[in-house]
Amino acid sequence: MMKTLLQAILFQATWFACVLGGSVYGGLATLLYLFLHDHYFLKKRKEWQLMLLFFTLGVIVDGLFFHFHVFLSAHKETELAVLPPLWLLCLWICVATLFAHSLSFLQGRYWLSAGLGFVGPVLSYLTGSNMSDIELAKPLWITLVSIGAVWSLILPLGVFLCDQWGLYSNEGRIHD
């Protein structure tokens, strides 16, 4: 329980470093977070595959959001770039670290994970956009529904893959 709380706190600190610090500080904070995750929280090496998959999803999903102007950047080079900003991709990697740990209560609960996916990431993007140089397109409600719809699929995917790849520990199993 204490490890789960500590991991959630470290994730949140990394989230702030990424959103407020941009790619340089966010990248450094992510490297430190991943080092700590690997040494103190990681249960199975296969978790690194989940992180790689989520990085790839971040490139595709947030890349499409930028391409279709759902996300807007104050920096012209971001509009011309193929990839979303590094700090945003760092967040995708860090989210992947949560599934087998802080989010393990979602194991086997796909509808709950879809519901949380519709709410949690939407609040994260909304808050992050207010604290960074990323703007969300107007009308805002369409952008937020779009983010929620995408994440209501992504969160259950992470839960499913953790289950399929055996990333959940036996003590974290939910017995309904």
Side-chain angles (χ1 to χ4, degrees), residues 21-74:
S23 292
V24 173
Y25 292 112
L28 291 172
T30 299
L31 288 175
L32 176 60
Y33 175 77
L34 292 176
F35 173 82
L36 293 172
H37 181 78
D38 186 64
H39 285 80
Y40 299 108
F41 302 104
L42 193 82
K43 295 174 186 170
K44 296 185 178 176
R45 306 303 297 158
K46 193 146 182 113
E47 225 178 292
W48 284 100
Q49 286 181 286
L50 189 63
M51 290 181 242
L52 180 60
L53 174 68
F54 265 69
F55 173 81
T56 305
L57 279 172
V59 169
I60 294 167
V61 172
D62 283 353
L64 287 171
F65 279 145
F66 276 105
H67 178 76
F68 289 110
H69 303 287
V70 175
F71 298 165
L72 309 165
S73 176

